[in-house]
Amino acid sequence: MYISKLELNRLKKQSGKIINGLFGFVLEKKVSINNRQYVAQKLADNADLFDNVNGYSLDLVQRKIITAEEDNTLVIAGAGSGKSLTIIGRILYLIKNGVLPQEILVISFTNEASNNLKNNLIKCGVDMEIMTFHKLGRKILKDNGYTVNLADDGLLKKIVRKNINLFSSLNILLPEMKFMTFGGDELLDLQREIILNSDEVETLKKLIIMFINLFKNGNFKINDFDVFLKQSKKQEGYKRDKHRAFLSLTKRIYLDYLYHLEKNNCIDFHDMINKSIEAAEKHGIYNYKYIIIDEYQDTSVVKCELIKTIKMLTGAKLLVVGDDFQSIYRFTGTNLNVFTNFKDYFPFSKVFKLEKTYRNSMELLEITSKFILKNKRQIYKKLYSDKSNKNPIYVYYYDNDVNIAFEKVVEMITSDEILVIGRNNKDLNGLTVKNKKVKFMTIHKSKGLEAENVIIVGLENKLLGFPNKLNNDDVLKYVIDLNDSYPYEEERRLFYVALTRTKNSNYLLVNRKHPSIFVLELLRDNKSIKVVNDSLNCPLCGGKLIIRSSKFGLFYGCVNYPECKYTKKIG
């Protein structure tokens, strides 16, 4: 029998006082020996299963994770380290050892990921339900007799548009716009329509919608608006007026939104989580024995509260899998502290690290690990691989036409499987290719995918480049932590995601005149990255100019150095 950390703590308290000192040490030693023997026996008894999980043999760390019997287990899984395979193995192992499929609550974050996991399990002979958090919330509500009518996706947008006050709040929130007054009702209507469809008002509407979604995602209450308004008095000058105008307008919109939800007997996706916690606490929940959560780094505090509630009601053992290096959804409510401070939310827990990657080369791992771990908030893990690639990253500079440069990069790649990813959708516009199997998508959508070779575009140093330097409006600080522990913290993780999609090499398409600061950092820190220049020649000897570095930074130097000593400043 396995004795978990929680059970050991209970044993220490059985006598009425905590057992410490020599007796405590002896007890812990005996428990440790007992647990090692238990795991060794389970590994031996289930060797046949572990040798063939969906056609793959699992490594020792994966096998130990699968047999874990702690009350709370965190698996920190590197990119391409086989976390999905570990989850499948865990489910198959539990079922083989007598747990019913319906007693295992499995949660993934998107419908696509849930369906992929379900289909892989079916291949292994298991057909079971895989939940998203919203699907779980709906199930809890329905199981407890609640009517679940989901609000129309566009309802909040309609409420925001209806409540925008053109001549009171907007002249404070958007002072750069000129709110002219025309004569006659028709002209006023025309003015109103023009302003409502302006880029400035569209941006404001998106900000209001983001604020309300984060407000509901954080399970704030209507009275919190009054708290925020009091806090806004600490701001100075225009910022104070702006915050108060925004909060007052958003509160009115939020109340109108709640009114329409109640009037139509509807709930939104946030309500599914918030109300399911209340329903579970009031009426109970199905008696799950095990909980498994994928992509746990994307969890919000309120979703974490739902899991804590389920555990409290059922005593289920929890295993979560994720990678803090790949947490890229802060502005949808993700709170990385739920992952990095897992023990604070789920005490008496054990941590495993999946550090062997089956996707990336060792050379790429050395580059990407150095890059991401500059942020000390990230959990240290030493990723390694049996794969080798002397040129995991090519930096391809272009001067003018990105489309011509893109075609040349595609020609450089010998394999037909190419994934093209960019920071924004607009980075991909106009890029076309013939005679090769190419997929185009944003980096956010590429998370979880892989390809033989990857081309990364949009690597420019500008406001909407990479990193994206558009400052998120500080009014969001009332509902989300805006403080980065390291410059461009989330953009850095997003670039890490981009770099780790490849099974072979990355090709970075870079504007020579305005290169991304991330690319310059990679070049400065890693001499092994291969630089390709498409047309920059030395004006003295005609040779190619390449990126070089000195104690003063990066610069262009002639390939014929030391015979030719021409240099050119970058930027």
Side-chain angles (χ1 to χ4, degrees), residues 450-476:
E450 61 184 20
E452 282 296 326
N453 292 283
V454 174
I455 300 175
I456 306 174
V457 297
L459 293 166
E460 294 188 60
N461 184 21
K462 60 182 183 179
L463 187 66
L464 297 179
F466 201 2
N468 187 312
K469 297 181 179 181
L470 182 64
N471 291 324
N472 292 287
D473 200 296
D474 65 355
V475 295
L476 293 176

Side-chain angles (χ1 to χ4, degrees), residues 229-243:
L229 283 164
K230 287 181 181 178
Q231 293 172 349
S232 70
K233 292 179 181 178
K234 297 178 183 178
Q235 305 295 328
E236 295 183 358
Y238 164 68
K239 185 176 284 191
R240 180 181 62 245
D241 295 337
K242 176 192 169 186
H243 281 212

